Amino acid sequence: MITYNSENVKMPAIRKRDTSAWIRRVAATYGKKVGEVGYLFCDDEHILAVNREYLGHDYYTDIITFDYCEDDILNGDLVISLDTVRSNAELFHKPYDEELHRVIIHGILHLCGINDKGPGEREMMEAAENRALALLRE
């Protein structure tokens, strides 16, 4: 089950049923099934507090992914700052909706085992995001 909640922000205007079906399709391309995945949309101050409390990081970010996966079943909590998504959309000259979906799937790709911190991993993540976004448009 995929759940969507918000804290300190209005719930983004996403089509939850379509978004959930897309997430399941993307997961299936990696041989994974979606178990319990929870999205929490929030503001910058909330994600900063989460980053400090759980990761010991003192900075803003667009998404934090908590991975509780077991075998090929995706389980996790994904915290997304809509403030940072909006700032990044402006910075990268992308439509807000596209950037939001990129971040939504970014967390799922992490749960599928794709990283973005090591050498060459960022490019691999970006390519995976682009493939996933293409599936959304189908």
Side-chain angles (χ1 to χ4, degrees):
M1 171 182 267
I2 302 171
T3 59
Y4 303 92
N5 294 289
S6 64
E7 174 100 15
N8 301 334
V9 294
K10 182 179 169 198
M11 181 67 71
I14 57 172
R15 295 192 322 254
K16 294 176 190 172
R17 185 173 303 192
D18 292 343
T19 301
S20 295
W22 170 58
I23 289 166
R24 286 187 187 90
R25 274 198 318 274
V26 171
T29 67
Y30 292 93
K32 309 287 185 182
K33 290 187 177 181
V34 175
E36 299 290 326
V37 173
Y39 283 93
L40 177 65
F41 299 102
C42 64
D43 62 4
D44 272 350
E45 293 314 308
H46 185 79
I47 207 164
L48 178 61
V50 170
N51 218 359
R52 286 175 175 159
E53 181 175 348
Y54 294 98
L55 302 176
H57 299 160
D58 192 24
Y59 54 82
Y60 299 102
T61 188
D62 52 358
I63 184 169
I64 298 173
T65 303
F66 295 98
D67 183 340
Y68 314 124
C69 295
E70 294 180 19
D71 301 317
D72 290 333
I73 307 296
L74 302 184
N75 298 297
D77 289 319
L78 297 95
V79 183
I80 295 176
S81 170
L82 296 182
D83 292 338
T84 300
V85 168
R86 189 170 311 286
S87 297
N88 286 346
E90 291 170 11
L91 180 67
F92 300 122
H93 307 289
K94 299 286 184 183
Y96 171 77
D97 187 60
E98 179 181 324
E99 187 63 20
L100 176 59
H101 282 87
R102 179 178 298 278
V103 175
I104 285 170
I105 211 62
H106 182 92
I108 295 298
L109 294 169
H110 273 309
L111 296 180
C112 287
I114 299 173
N115 295 312
D116 59 357
K117 299 290 188 219
E121 290 179 341
R122 187 175 170 98
E123 293 79 8
M124 289 172 50
M125 174 62 85
E126 189 173 322
E129 291 169 352
N130 289 336
R131 284 191 303 274
L133 288 170
L135 283 177
L136 179 64
R137 297 194 259 306
E138 288 182 354

